Amino acid sequence: MAKKILQVKNLQVSFETHGGEVQAVRGITFDLHEGETLAIVGESGSGKSVATKALMGIIASNGQIKKDSSILFEEKEITQLNEDELQKVRGKDIAMIFQDPMTSLNPVMTIGKQIMEGIIKHQGLNRSEARQKAIELIELVGIDQPDKRFKQYPHQFSGGMRQRIVIAIALSCNPKILIADEPTTALDVTIQAQILELIKDLQAKTGVAVIFITHDLGVVANVADRVAVMYAGKIVEIGTSDEVFYQPQHPYTWGLLASMPSLDTDDEALYSIPGSPPDLLNPPVGDAFALRSQYALKIDHEQEPPFFKITDTHYAATWLLHENAPKVTPPSVIQKLWAEGGK
Amino acid sequence: MIKYILERIMIGIVTMILIITINFFLLQLLPGSPFNSEKLTTEQIEMLNEAYGFNDPLPVQYVRYLSKIVQGDFGISIINTNIPVADLIYGKLPHTIKVGGLALLIGAVIGLFLGSVAALNRNSFWDYFTITVAILGVSIPGFVFGAVLQLFFGLKLDLVPIIYKIGDPRSFILPAVALAYPIIASTARYMRTELVEIFNSDYILLARAKGLTRRAVVYKHAIRNALIPVITVLGPATIVLIGGSTVIERIFGIPGIGNLMVDGINTRDHFVILGCAIFYSLLFIVILLIIDVIYGVIDPRIRVSGGMKN
Ligand SMILES: Nc1ncnc2c1ncn2[C@@H]1O[C@H](COP(=O)(O)OP(=O)(O)OP(=O)(O)O)[C@@H](O)[C@H]1O
Ligand SMILES: [Mg+2]
């Protein structure tokens, strides 16, 4: 297996608000290997964006990475870096693409300038060299007439084109990690596919490792080598794509998969997980999903489940995997998946 | 862009005609007459009314007035022994422009500065200071503030003259500050709100994610975007200036247009009132036009939609 370039251990992020401390990320641990794509999935508010912003040190000013958290990038402990050192990592080693291309570009600065900024800062090129590089990048992300486009402003670009530009900016300094935070959610379906293709294509060319955040499990199946499922600020299950899709173990993963439209081959109405995610001001004890789960055991309400190892790459945090747990029958769609996956 | 400006000028001309018309007829509702002196007999007043054409039917007076304006004749002052209104305004103009221009400059510069500092240092001393200034600015009337300035900096500290003196630049300071004060308040508040919102925007996050320094993020990305909506404040600010100048010119004894107009109203000096109103309206329209042009220059989105080809 490829080298680990990022090791996240027990990452905790909290926000100070009028209501108290919002524990948005509550101790997540995962590794990222060179060149791979790790998808992070989970409902809205589960902490996907906060966790990944923390990796670059760009969480909102009322937020804080708690002590005991560790983010090891190559040899650097990101949580210990000061602002100056962080600036050298941002955009150069770790870059990010955001959800809404309509708002991610500065409306009063030319596209060219916005691409050049990072190049000048990180690569020590002079203006004309940076300009050359920016034009090459515009071409690389599949936009015609790069010389003309270089001088234009964001409002002269469509949503899909703007996302291409944001991707060009992200890849301008050959980062080792690209964080894509729902990069296709705001685009219409045909454009979504193009942007996904572009990311996959550029990843193949550059070997950048990608953390891909999404709600869309269909996209996950398409792009990810591994999948982490997040719920209420924690990772509840992590494994290879095949493992998470065909041998899901956590009831929350079951719920997510069962509510995927393409899996709903039966006549019954589309499944949706009952209830809503817990309040992160006062996160519940035990398994945070227990309150919404028909498979919850008594211990789920009392004690937080540890990660149970299923294979070398597949882990899930549910007491159902404990040797003394009663055998439960997952929903029929999940049983079907298990059967397909050969379990 | 040229087409856009021409369009604006056309709209401006139509607006001016409307304003003149409305003012002309509204003035008829003003009770009293310029010939109110007790020394005049009824026959004399009648003669004067006849001489100035006030006995003609209103529509006749209106058409006469309009056709004179087209020739650049704004009528004559009845009280100031028949000096043309245009000459009167022209003579008072430098004082109003000097103090008003200085006020606009002070208001915009200090307002933008305070607003930016406050937004950059939320919940700091300067933030609370700015919020306080903004609240006081909308709640304390200009004449009270002007009087306080006179009392404190003029009388107590004896730093600057209390009364406007022609040719003494130091005497411009207090009236300009008094006039600028509400502009500082509104500009600062607006700039702060605008910047705070922009700091939460995606493109600022992207700028940070590029690894830019805080300085670069603030100056190259945030401030420039914040300025665009803030420029619109300068329109209302001019109204504040115009309204304020009538009061402030009184308090500081500035021989400007504001004073001319107030005197005109007090003495029912018909054409002076109309002339000043037209002057103020014109000033306002011109400033709005300038704001529109500035807008087009700094916001590329306007440039295209407004018909300017790049
Ligand atoms: N600046 C902040 N102040 C307070 N709470 C915050 C702040 N930013 C995020 N949160 C909270 O942290 C939690 C996680 O938010 P996050 O944006 O990471 O969710 P997400 O998984 O990315 O959701 P989505 O799929 O909607 O993007 C949410 O409950 C959110 O309300
Ligand atoms: Mg998010």
Side-chain angles (χ1 to χ4, degrees), chain A residues 91 103 106 114 117 121-122, chain B residues 202 206 208-211 221 225:
Chain A
T103 56
N106 182 341
Q114 297 192 55
E117 274 185 326
K121 159 105 193 186
H122 295 301
Chain B
D202 285 350
L206 183 68
R208 289 182 65 203
K210 282 182 201 167
H221 292 273
N225 274 287

Side-chain angles (χ1 to χ4, degrees), chain B residues 15-26 62 66 274:
Chain B
T15 317
M16 277 315 298
I17 293 173
L18 277 176
I19 288 171
I20 293 171
T21 309
I22 293 170
N23 271 304
F24 184 88
F25 289 103
L26 273 183
Y62 171 66
L66 267 193
L274 271 178

Side-chain angles (χ1 to χ4, degrees), chain A residues 15 17 22 24 43-50 60 62 182 215 280:
Chain A
F15 292 97
T17 66
V22 175
E43 274 168 298
S44 196
S46 53
K48 307 180 297 289
S49 297
V50 171
N62 62 332
E182 307 194 35
H215 288 284
L280 295 175

Side-chain angles (χ1 to χ4, degrees), chain A residues 53 56-59 87 90-91 94 96 98 100 103-109 114 117-118 121-122 153 155-156 166 169, chain B residues 201-214 216 220-222 224-225 228 298-304 310:
Chain A
K53 280 179 189 162
M56 303 176 79
I58 53 170
I59 49 175
Q87 280 167 10
R90 289 184 202 136
I94 308 180
M96 196 154 183
F98 300 98
D100 188 357
T103 56
S104 351
L105 293 167
N106 182 341
V108 301
M109 192 185 269
Q114 297 192 55
E117 274 185 326
K121 159 105 193 186
H122 295 301
Y153 289 91
H155 69 268
Q156 290 159 295
V166 176
I169 292 173
Chain B
S201 70
D202 285 350
Y203 60 83
I204 293 298
L205 198 61
L206 183 68
R208 289 182 65 203
K210 282 182 201 167
L212 301 184
T213 59
R214 198 172 136 89
K220 294 208 179 123
H221 292 273
R224 173 124 189 248
N225 274 287
I228 294 172
I298 61 173
D299 190 342
R301 287 162 296 187
I302 305 265
R303 237 179 276 165
V304 172
N310 37 311

Side-chain angles (χ1 to χ4, degrees), chain B residues 101-167:
Chain B
L102 189 61
L104 200 57
L105 192 73
I106 294 176
V109 170
I110 298 186
L112 290 178
F113 180 76
L114 273 185
S116 308
V117 172
L120 285 172
N121 306 286
R122 301 265 304 277
N123 302 325
S124 69
F125 166 78
W126 285 108
D127 192 17
Y128 292 119
F129 178 79
T130 303
I131 294 171
T132 313
V133 167
I135 293 171
L136 292 181
V138 292
S139 49
I140 297 184
F143 61 89
V144 174
F145 188 65
V148 169
L149 284 181
Q150 284 176 319
L151 184 69
F152 196 70
F153 291 101
L155 278 182
K156 284 254 163 65
L157 297 180
D158 199 18
L159 287 175
V160 277
I162 299 178
I163 293 298
Y164 184 84
K165 260 202 282 311
I166 297 172

Side-chain angles (χ1 to χ4, degrees), chain A residues 76-83 85-86 89:
Chain A
K76 286 190 217 91
E77 177 55 53
I78 301 267
T79 55
Q80 302 299 320
L81 300 184
N82 63 29
E83 175 64 24
E85 294 163 329
L86 275 173
V89 174

Side-chain angles (χ1 to χ4, degrees), chain A residues 148-193:
Chain A
K148 183 177 151 226
R149 290 303 205 166
F150 178 90
K151 290 183 226 122
Q152 294 186 333
Y153 289 91
H155 69 268
Q156 290 159 295
F157 288 66
S158 68
M161 298 268 227
R162 291 193 204 186
Q163 198 63 306
R164 286 172 190 269
I165 295 295
V166 176
I167 292 171
I169 292 173
L171 294 179
S172 62
C173 301
N174 310 315
K176 305 216 169 73
I177 301 174
L178 174 66
I179 299 169
D181 191 345
E182 307 194 35
T184 58
T185 313
L187 303 169
D188 56 45
V189 184
T190 50
I191 311 288
Q192 280 187 9

